[in-house]
């Protein structure tokens, strides 16, 4: 057939109403010479949405079911062909691997997905698992598959598996492969008994080892008993209750390990291992339910329902198998929860509940303002060296990084560090709030008000101190040296950086993103320190014990372990701030950062550069720029941190309207509570 003829035929086909095309795709199953896989692929193509505006996939699926139910002869042909096709495929991998993390490990699977993007795999049509990729050959098919109602899926399988057909040769072949999958899954989970990572994460894992060993043996007994019942219907079949008890015991053990990991730290490998093991146990439970229900004449509906639910989830999983984002999300949750839990605990220290807390916050922020004023001057001096860009980036990174670490170790507060931490605390509270419970909303509003006044205290401490400190330092050094330490052109450059109509706001957004990252980095290293037991390992260093003695070495190790996250988070945050501008110059992009505390210090040094001869409107314009920089810093870091924390906990908070109304009512009634602590505290 010529290309022109093919195009004409395709256009004529597309011109038909969707119902006619779908009916023709179903009727095509009557052709005994047609390839069943191609018929199923064509049928799915007619159900699939044709574009993003097409929302009729669910209706077309229901129309397909109606066509089959209306024609008994067509239904019998359709059932025979589809069931025979499934029974003649290799099904074990479909049962044991679809929707379950592969055993190759995190990075191996990651590289496989990336490689498949460049050079797609060749499907083996002898395996049902691969046939799914032929039928659902678009990466976003899972989107419309999710819209198919579970009841429609069960209705489809009820048509394909009536009670009189469950004892046919084809269905017996499917049951045999399910039994093989049960054995394979049980052996896979039993192998966890020798996994050193699990034994290391749980000191009592040896006591739970017998249940993993017993799982494999009990699965073998279950499979043998069920096969005997399939061969001789007069023999009673194993109901699988004992096997499911052992499955529950294994799952409880894994849950204890997971809960302990949230306390003492986790690793990527442990997270991967726990997730895969729990998926295998859940799949084992599903397959046992399908097998036992299919053997009981009164439980056919339960068997069909379990099968429909399993196949629907497996189809979705197979379609997303090469989705890198979906794969990352499967693994990241435990790590993300652990990281954000560390940040949440830090966030609790940033919330002022009492007047003494408020005063302490103001003093700690004021102390940071003093150091920030000095750091800003050091950065100006370093820029004046006109060193090569890479050297300048290193100098700026050291100034920022070591300065932030010093602020952290002295117990001082940088205002913009708060949102990334307090967002984690708020996320933990949002998961427990119900809009119908006014008391719960009011408690959350109390925390929001405390966060607001804490943030204002920190900003005031940073800005109101960094500005005068910068003026005093610049004026004092100028008097001591006998010349202005800030040249006029440098002062003009500092003012230009604060212009709200320049790149100041986008650069402030970049700084907000780095603030968010620093919170995750802090949580990551806190997790790493706890999981690797850094403190104890440091305390065992012989040279450290030789210098300070065992007791002091232990205290040093505990000190470093408790503060490793904060040290690394602050240092790397400083490196990000210090190097961004120079990296932007190297690659020719307008990249830089703006930070509210440093912006206020730079305004002070601009006063020195202009010998205090700045017009009032210029000062107000620069002050507006500083305010907008601060709002952008806080908004970006808070929004990203809150989104990450909610996602890590699997929270979908849907009561924003009720919460905002409650906050507005409180603000109108008690505006002071958002600015100052309770008067009687």
């Amino acid at each position: 057939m010529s290309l022109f003829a093919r195009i004409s035929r395709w256009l004529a086909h597309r011109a038909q109403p969707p119902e006619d095309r779908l009916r023709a795709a179903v009727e095509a199953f009557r052709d005994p010479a047609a390839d069943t896989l191609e018929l199923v692929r064509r049928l799915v193509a007619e159900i699939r949405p044709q574009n993003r505006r097409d929302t009729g996939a669910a209706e077309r699926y229901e129309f397909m079911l109606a066509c089959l139910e209306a024609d008994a002869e067509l239904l019998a042909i359709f059932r025979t062909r589809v069931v025979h096709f499934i029974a003649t495929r290799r099904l074990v991998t479909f049962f044991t691997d679809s929707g379950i993390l592969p055993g190759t490990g995190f990075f191996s699977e990651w590289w496989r997905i990336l490689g498949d993007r460049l050079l797609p795999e060749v499907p083996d049509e002898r395996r049902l698992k691969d046939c799914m990729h032929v039928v659902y050959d678009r990466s976003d098919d899972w989107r419309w598959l999710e819209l198919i109602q579970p009841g429609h899926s069960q209705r489809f399988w009820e048509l394909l598996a009536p009670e009189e057909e469950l004892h046919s040769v084809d269905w017996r072949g499917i049951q045999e492969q399910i039994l093989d999958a049960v054995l394979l899954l049980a052996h896979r989970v039993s192998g966890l008994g020798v996994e050193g990572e699990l034994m290391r994460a749980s000191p009592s894992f040896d006591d739970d080892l017998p249940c993993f060993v017993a799982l494999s043996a009990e699965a073998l007994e279950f499979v043998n008993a069920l096969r005997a019942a399939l061969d001789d219907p007069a023999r009673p079949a194993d109901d699988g209750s004992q096997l499911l008890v052992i499955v529950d015991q294994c799952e409880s053990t894994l849950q204890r390990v997971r809960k302990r990991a949230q306390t003492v730290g986790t690793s990527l490998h442990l997270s991967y291992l726990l997730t895969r093991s729990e998926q295998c146990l859940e799949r084992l439970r599903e397959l046992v339910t399908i097998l036992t229900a299919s053997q009981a004449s009164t439980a056919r509906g339960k068997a069909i329902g379990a099968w429909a639910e399993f196949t629907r989830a497996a189809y979705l999983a197979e379609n997303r198998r090469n989705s890198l984002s979906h794969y990352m999300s499967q693994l990241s949750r435990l790590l993300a929860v652990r990281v954000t839990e560390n940040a949440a605990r830090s966030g609790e220290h940033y919330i002022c509940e009492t007047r003494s807390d408020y005063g302490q916050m103001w003093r700690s922020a004021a102390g940071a303002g003093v150091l920030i004023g000095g750091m800003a001057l050091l950065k100006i001096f370093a820029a004046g060296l006109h060193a090569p860009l890479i050297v300048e980036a290193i100098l700026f990174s050291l100034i920022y990084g070591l300065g932030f670490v010093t602020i952290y170790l002295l117990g001082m507060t940088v205002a913009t560090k708060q949102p990334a931490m307090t967002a984690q605390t708020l996320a933990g509270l949002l998961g427990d709030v119900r809009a119908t419970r006014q008391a719960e909303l009011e408690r959350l509003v109390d925390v929001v008000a405390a966060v607001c006044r804490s943030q204002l205290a920190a900003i005031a401490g940073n800005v109101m101190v960094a500005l005068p400190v910068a003026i005093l330092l610049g004026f004092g050094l100028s008097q001591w040296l006998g010349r202005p330490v800030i040249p006029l052109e440098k002062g003009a450059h500092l003012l230009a950086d604060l212009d709200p109509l320049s790149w100041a706001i986008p650069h402030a957004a970049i700084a907000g993103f780095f603030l968010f990252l620093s919170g995750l980095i802090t949580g990551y290293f806190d997790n790493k320190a706890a999981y690797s037991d850094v403190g104890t390992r440091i305390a065992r260093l012989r040279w450290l014990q030789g210098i300070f003695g065992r007791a002091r070495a232990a205290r040093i190790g505990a000190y470093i372990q408790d503060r490793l996250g904060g040290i690394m988070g602050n240092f790397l945050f400083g490196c990000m701030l210090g190097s961004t501008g120079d990296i932007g110059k190297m690659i020719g992009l307008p990249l830089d950062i703006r930070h509210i505390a440093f912006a206020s210090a730079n305004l002070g040094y601009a006063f020195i550069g202009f010998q205090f001869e700045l017009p009032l409107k210029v000062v107000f314009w620069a002050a507006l720029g500083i305010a907008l920089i601060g709002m952008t810093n806080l908004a970006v870091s808070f929004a990203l941190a809150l989104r990450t924390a909610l996602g890590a906990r699997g929270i979908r908070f849907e009561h924003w309207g009720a919460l905002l109304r409650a906050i507005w009512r409180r603000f109108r009634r008690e505006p002071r509570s958002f600015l100052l602590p309770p008067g009687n505290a």
Side-chain angles (χ1 to χ4, degrees), residues 529-543:
Y531 180 74
S532 302
D533 205 6
V534 168
T536 304
R537 293 165 73 173
I538 291 175
R540 288 173 58 85
L541 292 173
R542 292 185 179 180
W543 63 267

Side-chain angles (χ1 to χ4, degrees), residues 200-247:
R200 181 170 179 263
S202 175
S204 62
F205 193 77
D206 285 341
D207 297 333
D208 299 309
L209 183 59
C211 69
F212 287 92
V213 176
L215 180 66
S216 185
E218 184 60 34
L220 182 59
E221 288 187 17
F222 169 78
V223 168
N224 289 336
L226 201 59
R227 278 190 170 133
L230 288 172
D231 292 333
D232 183 4
R235 299 186 61 173
D238 191 329
D239 63 359
S241 58
Q242 183 60 31
L243 177 58
L244 293 179
V245 167
I246 299 176
V247 167

Side-chain angles (χ1 to χ4, degrees), residues 372-659:
I372 287 171
M375 291 162 62
L377 184 60
L378 287 176
K379 183 176 181 291
I380 292 172
F381 288 162
L385 298 175
H386 302 293
L389 290 179
I390 187 66
V391 176
E392 187 176 80
I394 293 172
L395 289 175
F396 289 173
S397 297
L398 290 175
I399 291 169
Y400 279 126
L402 295 178
F404 283 131
V405 170
T406 302
I407 289 171
Y408 168 73
L409 292 178
L410 293 177
M412 300 174 180
T413 301
V414 178
T416 49
K417 292 284 287 183
Q418 286 179 276
M421 302 298 181
T422 54
Q424 318 293 342
T425 304
L426 285 174
L429 297 174
L430 287 174
D432 301 325
V433 170
R434 288 166 289 184
T436 55
R437 299 289 182 91
Q438 190 61 32
E440 294 179 1
L441 276 178
E442 290 299 322
R443 282 197 297 271
L444 184 57
V445 173
D446 290 339
V447 176
V448 171
V451 168
C452 288
R453 61 177 176 255
S454 307
Q455 186 66 69
L456 288 174
I459 291 174
N462 283 172
V463 172
M464 293 173 63
V465 173
L467 178 61
V469 164
I471 294 174
L472 289 174
L473 276 176
F475 183 77
L477 284 175
S478 297
Q479 293 298 312
W480 183 44
L481 296 174
R483 59 177 177 81
V485 293
I486 307 296
L488 180 62
E489 59 273 15
K490 183 62 178 178
H493 179 72
L494 293 174
L495 273 181
D497 287 344
L498 304 179
D499 185 355
L501 300 180
S502 67
W503 284 91
I505 307 307
H507 290 164
I510 294 174
F513 176 69
F514 290 158
L515 285 161
F516 157 70
L517 282 184
S518 71
L520 294 185
I521 291 170
T522 298
Y524 171 79
F525 279 100
D526 277 338
N527 170 75
K528 189 71 174 176
Y531 180 74
S532 302
D533 205 6
V534 168
T536 304
R537 293 165 73 173
I538 291 175
R540 288 173 58 85
L541 292 173
R542 292 185 179 180
W543 63 267
L544 191 65
Q545 292 179 355
I547 297 174
F548 297 102
R550 288 190 175 184
R552 288 183 178 177
R555 288 198 294 271
I556 291 171
Y559 181 87
I560 293 176
Q561 177 164 325
D562 291 341
R563 292 164 179 79
L564 181 63
I567 291 171
M568 295 304 299
N570 281 282
F571 181 75
L572 293 177
F573 173 58
C575 291
M576 288 185 281
L577 293 188
S579 61
T580 300
D582 288 315
I583 291 174
K585 293 175 184 177
M586 292 177 193
I587 62 179
L589 293 177
L591 300 179
D592 209 339
I593 58 96
R594 295 290 181 270
H595 186 280
I596 182 174
F598 288 93
S600 61
N602 287 340
L603 177 59
Y605 291 122
F607 276 114
I608 301 300
F610 281 89
Q611 301 292 308
F612 298 98
E613 296 179 359
L614 282 174
L616 194 58
K617 65 178 182 180
V618 173
V619 175
F620 282 138
W621 189 245
L624 176 62
I626 292 173
L628 292 176
I629 287 170
M631 291 174 59
T632 306
N633 288 159
L634 302 177
V636 171
S637 61
F638 181 82
L640 291 173
L642 184 62
R643 182 178 182 274
T644 301
L646 291 175
R649 292 170 170 82
I651 297 172
R652 296 184 63 181
F653 187 70
E654 299 175 349
H655 311 299
W656 293 108
L659 176 59

Side-chain angles (χ1 to χ4, degrees), residues 58-73:
E59 288 78 7
R60 288 192 290 274
Y61 190 92
E62 188 173 10
F63 179 78
M64 176 199 70
L65 295 177
C67 289
L68 293 173
E69 290 170 338
D71 190 331
E73 180 186 358

Side-chain angles (χ1 to χ4, degrees), residues 103-164:
T104 51
F106 176 80
F107 289 106
S108 297
E109 182 66 6
W110 189 38
W111 283 114
R112 186 202 64 77
I113 294 173
L114 290 177
D116 190 68
R117 299 285 182 87
L118 300 174
L119 199 62
E121 297 175 338
V122 178
D124 182 357
E125 295 182 3
R126 295 172 298 176
R127 300 196 307 170
L128 184 65
K129 188 171 182 288
D130 287 15
C131 290
M132 291 301 99
H133 295 284
V134 175
V135 174
Y136 301 103
D137 55 353
R138 295 187 183 178
S139 60
D140 61 347
D141 276 335
W142 62 271
R143 297 183 184 278
W144 66 267
L145 281 170
E146 278 190 327
L147 301 178
I148 304 298
Q149 297 179 14
H152 286 168
S153 297
Q154 181 165 352
R155 187 172 148 199
F156 173 80
W157 287 108
E158 284 174 348
L159 294 176
L160 259 64
E163 186 173 358
E164 63 272 13

